[in-house]
């Protein structure tokens, strides 16, 4: 059977039999579905972009649908101001980068321990690692809050760093598992050869294991970054007023806006908050993530293949 | 002492404890202890004083309050149960459909994967909240749909409310499926092509192959995705319950004790849902055989 006939019969069967034409129909239907659903997926994003460039007149004018009547940047100017954008962006970068780096490195160490050594209780501990994924953060947040308070690390970045270092950061279980899968595939012969050459376990870890796990490092780091960036629940509890992130700023966007502009609007005819300004703020909050995604997109979408979750 | 330590690690595998040690410490300090401590606190009236925390034994009062007198919490818990029980299967089935479509010989597959995964990156709580607020999370022009209008006329019934919830939040529900789609695709691509070849020779139709070959092969992934979806859905800040827990935590008259009780009730609810959903899958698998 040649490839073409094989393809055709497959498509035909997919539609419960029929002539050659139905294979084409099946394929077209798949494209239509995918494009349709793809549009629905992107719709909020497209709407956000379109609306954020609209002036108040455009927002009220029902004739203006997707394309704003003129290039209007005032929404962004105001949103930048309300979010206190650039200082907060630097803070968000700090709050996400540091825990992500630490979490990734420690997940590698822990994953290596689970993958390369057979010690008593290993399987039970691995099960416990998985179990930590199921515990909602709400259960541990109060005792952790009290504990951090006693340690004097509440309202500081250390409240993120300590759990990250000890393998209890955000979704740490997933990263430990990714490294566990990666290091399990390391050939035993390589380790034995290194040992014969007199390499100790730290040397093996740093010189052999880490270089072969580059993709696991990238995937873990990127996902950590995104998850720490998007975390607002824990951030608002642990950091209080002392540290803030862009998503936290977005959360109180309306209130901040009103505090900044409410008095001015009645006196000097300034604008009240409208969806253009709000969506400009939302877009500014996710913009850094979008940039990261489009640069490192390959690593994100191939992550599941590398995690080994789908079996070998 | 040094010799004892040396001889302990002499057995090859035991060095592994050293690598796993940070996790062990972290698990004890930041997870196990907090889990039990919050269970303990949930039976107490907790007050923060200048000397530290002051606890007074309260028996089951916190739980009684949560499940009997706190009307908001009971209502929120009820709608959480319903919404999750409906949303999770919906998300998983949707993810499987997309994965099957993308597993066909399709051009621009990479582009589609990029689009379907994008929400995982950008959908933090405040962003979703803003989008829901602006009403861009339902499918465009859904309000004109006959069924939607019909359901709106009968608002207040369980069925119509659920239907409207799904329709109003369709895009958010879709947006929860990014990781699951990738897990399904990875599994589909690793599945054995020879089985399909054999089934085809035996004259199985595409439909039959889906039910008899693809679906049973995907069963472990379905369970993984159900667990993942339930957990992610439950801890997303879309959920009014977690906001409620936070509010109660910093309220003077209720405080940490009551908030702990709420979080434990919530934990048990999530566990029950997980057990029910995975149990149901196991049941269907057993029935098939």
């Amino acid at each position: 059977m040649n490839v073409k006939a094989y393809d055709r019969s497959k498509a035909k069967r997919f539609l419960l039999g029929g002539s050659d034409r139905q294979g084409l129909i099946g394929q077209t239907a798949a494209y239509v579905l995918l494009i349709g659903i793809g549009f629905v997926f992107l719709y909020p994003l497209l709407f956000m972009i379109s609306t954020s460039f609209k002036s108040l007149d455009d927002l009220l004018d029902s004739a203006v649908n997707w394309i704003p009547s003129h290039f209007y940047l005032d929404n962004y100017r105001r949103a930048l101001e309300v979010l206190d954008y650039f200082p907060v962006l630097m803070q968000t970068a700090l709050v996400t980068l540091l825990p992500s780096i630490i979490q990734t490195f420690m997940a590698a160490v822990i994953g290596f321990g689970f993958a390369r050594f057979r010690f008593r209780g290993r399987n039970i501990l691995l099960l416990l690692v998985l179990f930590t994924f199921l515990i909602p953060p709400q259960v541990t947040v109060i005792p952790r809050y009290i504990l951090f308070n006693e340690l004097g690390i509440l309202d500081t970045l250390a409240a993120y760093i300590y759990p990250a270092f000890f393998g209890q950061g955000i979704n740490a279980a997933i990263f430990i598992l990714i490294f566990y899968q990666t290091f399990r595939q390391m050939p035993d012969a390589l380790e034995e050869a290194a040992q014969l050459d007199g390499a100790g376990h730290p040397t093996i870890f740093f010189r052999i294991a880490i270089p072969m796990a580059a993709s696991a490092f990238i995937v873990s780091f990127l996902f950590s970054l995104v998850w720490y960036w998007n975390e607002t629940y824990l951030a608002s509890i642990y950091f209080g007023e002392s540290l803030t992130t862009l998503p936290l700023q977005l959360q109180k966007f309306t209130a901040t806006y009103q505090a900044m502009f409410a008095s001015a609007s009645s006196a000097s005819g300034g604008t009240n908050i409208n969806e253009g300004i709000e969506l400009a703020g939302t877009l500014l909050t996710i913009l850094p993530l979008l940039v990261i995604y489009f640069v490192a997109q390959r690593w994100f979408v191939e992550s599941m293949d590398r995690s080994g979750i789908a079996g070998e | 002492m040094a010799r004892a330590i040396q001889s302990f690690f002499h057995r090859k595998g035991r060095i592994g404890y050293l690598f796993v040690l940070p996790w062990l410490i972290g698990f004890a300090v930041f997870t196990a202890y907090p889990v039990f401590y919050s269970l303990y606190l949930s039976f107490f009236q907790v007050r923060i004083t200048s000397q530290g925390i002051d606890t007074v034994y309260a028996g089951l009062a916190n739980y009684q309050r949560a499940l009997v007198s706190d009307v908001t919490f009971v209502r929120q818990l009820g709608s959480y149960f319903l919404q999750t029980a409906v949303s999770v299967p919906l998300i998983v089935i949707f993810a499987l459909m997309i994965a099957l479509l993308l597993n066909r010989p399709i051009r621009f597959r990479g582009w589609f994967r990029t689009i379907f995964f994008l929400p995982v990156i950008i959908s933090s709580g405040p962003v979703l909240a803003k989008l829901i607020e602006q009403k861009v999370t339902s499918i465009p022009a859904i309000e004109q749909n006959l069924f939607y209008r019909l359901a709106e006329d009968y608002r207040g019934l369980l069925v119509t409310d659920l239907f409207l919830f799904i329709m109003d939040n369709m895009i958010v529900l879709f947006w929860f499926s990014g990781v699951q789609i990738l897990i399904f695709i990875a599994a589909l691509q690793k599945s054995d092509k020879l089985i399909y070849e054999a089934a085809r020779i035996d004259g199985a139709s595409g439909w039959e192959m889906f039910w008899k070959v693809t679906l049973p092969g995907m069963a472990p992934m379905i369970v993984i995705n159900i667990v993942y979806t339930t957990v992610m859905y439950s801890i997303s800040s879309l959920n009014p319950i977690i906001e409620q827990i936070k509010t109660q935590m910093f309220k003077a008259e209720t405080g940490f004790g009551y908030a702990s009780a709420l979080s434990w009730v919530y934990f048990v609810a999530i566990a029950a849902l997980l057990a029910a959903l995975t149990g149901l899958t196991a049941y269907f698998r057993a029935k098939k055989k």
Side-chain angles (χ1 to χ4, degrees):
Chain A
M1 208 192 306
N2 65 34
V3 180
K4 216 167 187 175
Y6 167 88
D7 257 9
R8 227 187 276 145
S9 74
K10 195 173 157 195
K12 193 177 74 184
R13 290 249 163 84
F14 190 80
L15 284 174
L16 300 172
S19 68
D20 286 5
R21 274 193 59 79
Q22 270 183 330
L24 190 71
I25 291 171
Q27 199 68 356
T28 318
Y31 279 114
V32 169
L33 261 175
L34 281 173
I35 291 169
I37 296 169
F39 172 72
V40 167
F41 258 71
L42 290 180
Y43 171 74
L45 206 63
L46 300 173
F47 183 86
M48 232 190 297
I49 295 168
S50 153
T51 309
S52 65
F53 284 108
K54 283 179 183 170
S55 63
L56 192 61
D57 295 337
D58 281 355
L59 286 170
L60 296 173
D61 188 353
S62 58
V64 180
N65 208 351
W66 281 99
I67 317 287
S69 62
H70 60 281
F71 195 62
Y72 183 77
L73 279 174
D74 222 38
N75 293 334
Y76 281 94
R77 210 164 321 132
R78 275 170 192 266
L80 282 175
E81 213 177 316
V82 173
L83 288 171
D84 192 16
Y85 194 68
F86 293 104
V88 175
L89 180 66
M90 295 319 283
Q91 231 178 80
T92 316
L94 183 75
V95 167
T96 48
L97 274 174
L98 228 62
S100 300
I101 293 169
I102 293 167
Q103 160 142 301
T104 305
F105 179 74
M106 289 315 288
V109 173
I110 297 161
F112 185 79
F114 277 120
R116 303 306 306 177
F117 302 95
R118 317 201 133 266
F119 47 87
R120 194 180 290 175
R122 189 187 66 156
N123 291 340
I124 294 167
L125 289 180
L126 261 175
L127 264 179
L128 278 177
V129 172
L130 277 180
F131 182 67
T132 58
F133 178 68
L134 301 181
I135 302 171
Q138 284 72 38
V139 173
T140 52
V141 74
I142 292 169
R144 279 191 194 186
Y145 181 86
I146 296 171
L147 184 70
F148 291 163
N149 193 24
E150 277 166 10
L151 292 173
I153 57 172
L154 211 59
D155 296 343
T156 67
L157 192 51
Y160 261 10
I161 289 178
Y162 276 39
F165 181 84
F166 290 108
Q168 312 292 319
I170 296 172
N171 290 334
I174 295 179
F175 305 120
I176 293 174
L177 231 58
I178 288 178
F179 279 107
Y180 170 71
Q181 287 290 353
T182 309
F183 290 137
R184 245 174 30 146
Q185 287 160 24
M186 195 171 119
D188 288 339
L190 207 62
E191 196 178 352
E192 280 154 20
Q195 264 168 345
L196 281 180
D197 286 346
H201 292 289
T203 319
I204 293 175
F205 176 67
F206 281 105
R207 303 287 291 277
I208 301 174
I210 288 188
M212 67 160 286
S215 67
F217 271 95
I218 296 172
V219 165
S220 300
F221 173 69
L222 288 174
F223 271 92
S224 291
L225 201 68
V226 166
W227 277 329
Y228 269 108
W229 183 290
N230 283 333
E231 179 59 57
T232 51
Y233 190 78
L234 299 178
S236 68
I237 289 175
Y238 293 156
F239 297 149
E241 299 292 311
S242 63
L243 280 168
T244 187
T245 66
L246 281 176
L248 279 175
Q249 290 287 95
L250 181 68
Q251 211 161 37
K252 50 183 189 195
F253 191 84
T254 318
T256 319
Y257 186 93
Q258 250 127 36
M260 282 174 89
F261 294 109
S263 49
S265 72
S266 50
S268 60
T271 359
N272 273 319
I273 193 157
N274 60 44
E275 56 262 48
I277 301 170
E278 277 192 59
L279 291 179
T282 314
L283 207 61
L284 283 171
T285 308
I286 60 174
L287 193 65
L289 291 177
L290 285 177
V291 172
I292 292 171
Y293 184 54
F294 285 111
V295 172
Q297 177 258 118
R298 187 168 74 91
W299 296 103
F300 280 106
V301 295
E302 285 172 12
S303 56
M304 298 304 142
D305 302 344
R306 294 169 200 280
S307 70
I309 205 166
E312 293 319 310
Chain B
M1 185 63 193
R3 181 170 293 174
I5 292 173
Q6 220 165 37
S7 73
F8 177 79
F9 286 118
H10 197 68
R11 289 265 307 278
K12 185 195 174 267
R14 286 180 171 169
I15 281 284
Y17 285 119
L18 278 184
F19 282 92
V20 182
L21 191 65
W23 183 85
L24 278 173
I25 296 171
F27 178 72
V29 176
F30 294 116
T31 301
Y33 161 74
V35 165
F36 289 112
Y37 192 46
S38 81
L39 183 64
Y40 169 86
L41 283 180
S42 71
F43 295 106
F44 286 82
Q45 195 66 265
V46 183
R47 271 197 202 85
I48 308 280
T49 61
S50 48
Q51 279 88 43
I53 11 178
D54 176 36
T55 53
V56 182
Y57 183 67
L60 288 171
N62 286 328
Y63 286 97
Q64 207 171 13
R65 181 176 180 160
L67 294 171
V68 182
S69 27
D70 191 336
V71 193
T72 356
F73 183 68
V74 174
R75 192 167 39 78
Q76 282 171 344
L77 200 64
S79 62
Y80 159 77
F81 253 114
L82 278 174
Q83 288 178 6
T84 315
V86 174
S87 308
V88 170
L90 217 64
I91 292 168
V92 173
I93 291 169
F94 174 76
L96 183 60
M97 268 172 51
I98 296 286
L100 285 170
L101 278 175
L102 288 180
N103 198 41
R104 291 160 61 94
I106 288 260
R107 295 173 119 224
F108 310 113
R109 190 190 304 179
W111 283 86
F112 284 119
R113 280 207 304 192
T114 306
I115 291 174
F116 292 135
F117 195 69
L118 179 67
V120 177
I121 312 294
I122 58 173
S123 55
S124 65
V127 171
L128 285 180
K130 274 276 174 290
L131 291 176
I132 292 171
E133 202 181 297
Q134 299 295 338
K135 298 196 175 60
V136 280
T137 51
S138 59
I139 290 177
I142 187 77
E143 289 91 349
Q144 270 97 57
N145 183 284
L146 175 68
F147 290 107
Y148 187 90
R149 294 218 302 251
L150 206 64
E152 238 179 357
D153 288 343
Y154 291 95
R155 209 176 258 280
L157 293 169
L158 187 65
V159 189
T160 51
D161 278 359
L162 271 180
F163 178 76
L164 289 174
F165 164 79
I166 292 168
M167 288 303 143
D168 285 341
N169 297 291
M170 195 56 123
I171 295 181
V172 173
L173 292 182
F174 282 177
W175 273 23
F176 269 100
S177 62
V179 171
Q180 294 87 320
I181 292 175
L182 291 189
I183 290 178
F184 278 136
I185 293 180
L188 281 172
Q189 282 173 352
K190 277 181 184 133
S191 66
D192 195 352
K193 302 279 179 296
L194 286 176
I195 302 177
Y196 290 92
E197 197 63 42
R200 199 172 292 118
I201 290 167
D202 285 347
S205 69
W207 184 249
E208 282 169 327
M209 276 196 277
F210 171 74
W211 289 103
K212 297 264 161 68
V213 182
T214 313
L215 207 55
M218 285 292 108
M221 295 303 126
I222 292 173
V223 174
I224 286 177
N225 276 336
I226 286 175
V227 172
Y228 180 86
T229 315
T230 313
V231 170
M232 281 308 179
Y233 194 83
S234 303
I235 64 173
S236 93
S237 35
L238 276 185
N239 219 309
I241 295 177
I242 71 165
E243 210 44 51
Q244 169 82 354
I245 293 172
K246 194 168 118 187
T247 324
Q248 298 295 343
M249 190 175 156
F250 292 108
K251 240 188 203 168
E253 68 266 34
T254 46
F256 287 3
Y258 183 56
S260 296
L262 290 187
S263 69
W264 264 88
V265 172
Y266 189 45
F267 188 17
V268 171
I270 295 174
L273 254 179
L274 270 177
L277 286 170
T278 49
L280 218 62
T281 346
Y283 172 76
F284 279 121
R285 275 172 79 185
K287 226 176 83 177
K288 277 261 156 59
K289 274 167 192 163

